[in-house]
Amino acid sequence: MTDVTFVSRPSPNFDDRGRAVDMIVLHYTGMKSAEEALRRLCDPAARVSCHYLVDEDGTIYALAPEGKRAWHAGVGAWKGETDINARSIGVEIVNPGHEWGYRKFPARQIDMVIALIKDIKTRHGVPATRVLGHSDVAPQRKEDPGELFPWGKLAAEGLAVGRYAGDEDPSISYQDALAMLRAIGYDAPDNAHAAALVAFQRRFCPKALAQGFSPLTKAAFKWAATAMA
Ligand SMILES: [Zn+2]
């Protein structure tokens, strides 16, 4: 197992959790550089933070104590639970994101994300089904860590649910598909479910990204509804 060492970069932006940790939320920083992201995450005026930030070279910065509620997820929901920050550890992964030049996550960076999640799990009982992307819990506002994030590598270590690799299924009705999307955990209101659909595709089936309720997406729903239960 890779040793995990932390570079301390304390942020003042946190408050009390009032409950136990049972979720890990992964982000990309979406800024031009790691330093710019660190400055913002430590700026009292910005009122945002995270517990850890993983740089592209694998350096892990520790910003807020795990026992505290860092401010990384904002307004969101998963399986009907709304205070995501109170229950989660927030991990920022350096990448310019869709706005500034989205690119592959380096292998060294992902190795350290994996080591960090293993380390966090020695302290908190977070199951693989509760390691999520920011866009999963806030699909209307967010697209991070995005379709290039290698969930399969985390899944290979038993740390997260991976991606769908099966065939299409045209037999599933629209109504059943929508019910599955909700059963997986997404907040998908009747008149605004398009964002949750896209977030699902980024997370579980990037091949079907922006293809609507396609037969491949429907088959992925069915698979994920079981895998994420
Ligand atoms: Zn985020």
Side-chain angles (χ1 to χ4, degrees):
M1 186 167 161
T2 314
D3 273 345
V4 181
T5 55
F6 302 99
V7 177
S8 182
R9 186 76 185 250
S11 168
N13 300 331
F14 59 79
D15 52 14
D16 290 330
R17 279 191 189 280
R19 55 157 302 129
V21 170
D22 67 358
M23 184 186 284
I24 297 172
V25 178
L26 305 183
H27 304 254
Y28 66 46
T29 49
M31 300 190 80
K32 288 175 185 168
S33 72
E35 186 50 38
E36 189 183 351
L38 282 165
R39 274 204 302 271
R40 177 170 157 77
L41 292 162
C42 296
D43 176 2
R47 298 187 64 78
V48 293
S49 62
C50 60
H51 295 91
Y52 301 105
L53 178 144
V54 184
D55 203 346
E56 287 180 300
D57 67 2
T59 304
I60 304 175
Y61 295 87
L63 287 85
E66 288 184 359
K68 296 293 183 179
R69 177 179 173 275
W71 304 337
H72 56 96
V75 175
W78 186 256
K79 290 192 186 275
E81 302 157 356
T82 51
D83 192 343
I84 302 298
N85 285 338
R87 64 194 324 136
S88 66
I89 301 272
V91 178
E92 288 279 357
I93 303 164
V94 173
N95 189 296
H98 293 86
E99 191 173 355
W100 300 107
Y102 191 41
R103 59 191 183 217
K104 273 188 72 179
F105 296 85
R108 173 69 183 160
Q109 184 183 35
I110 296 304
D111 286 347
M112 295 314 294
V113 169
I114 286 170
L116 174 61
I117 295 173
K118 286 180 178 172
D119 186 62
I120 292 168
K121 287 181 76 149
T122 64
R123 293 180 292 278
H124 307 282
V126 182
T129 54
R130 304 278 290 180
V131 178
L132 302 169
H134 195 189
S135 60
D136 296 321
V137 300
Q140 310 287 346
R141 301 182 297 113
K142 296 294 176 179
E143 44 193 25
D144 61 310
E147 61 278 8
L148 294 179
F149 188 75
W151 287 102
K153 286 191 180 177
L154 276 61
E157 302 282 338
L159 301 175
V161 172
R163 288 200 160 111
Y164 180 63
D167 295 327
E168 301 184 354
D169 186 347
S171 74
I172 299 166
S173 72
Y174 167 80
Q175 279 307 332
D176 285 351
L178 191 53
M180 287 174 198
L181 181 62
R182 291 169 176 155
I184 292 161
Y186 288 92
D187 182 24
D190 275 338
N191 300 318
H193 60 259
L197 172 65
V198 171
F200 170 85
Q201 289 166 336
R202 280 189 206 290
R203 171 68 180 78
F204 293 103
C205 195
K207 267 196 295 186
L209 191 56
Q211 289 174 14
F213 282 86
S214 66
L216 183 59
T217 302
K218 288 176 174 178
F221 283 155
K222 191 174 178 179
W223 169 83
T226 302
M228 294 292 282

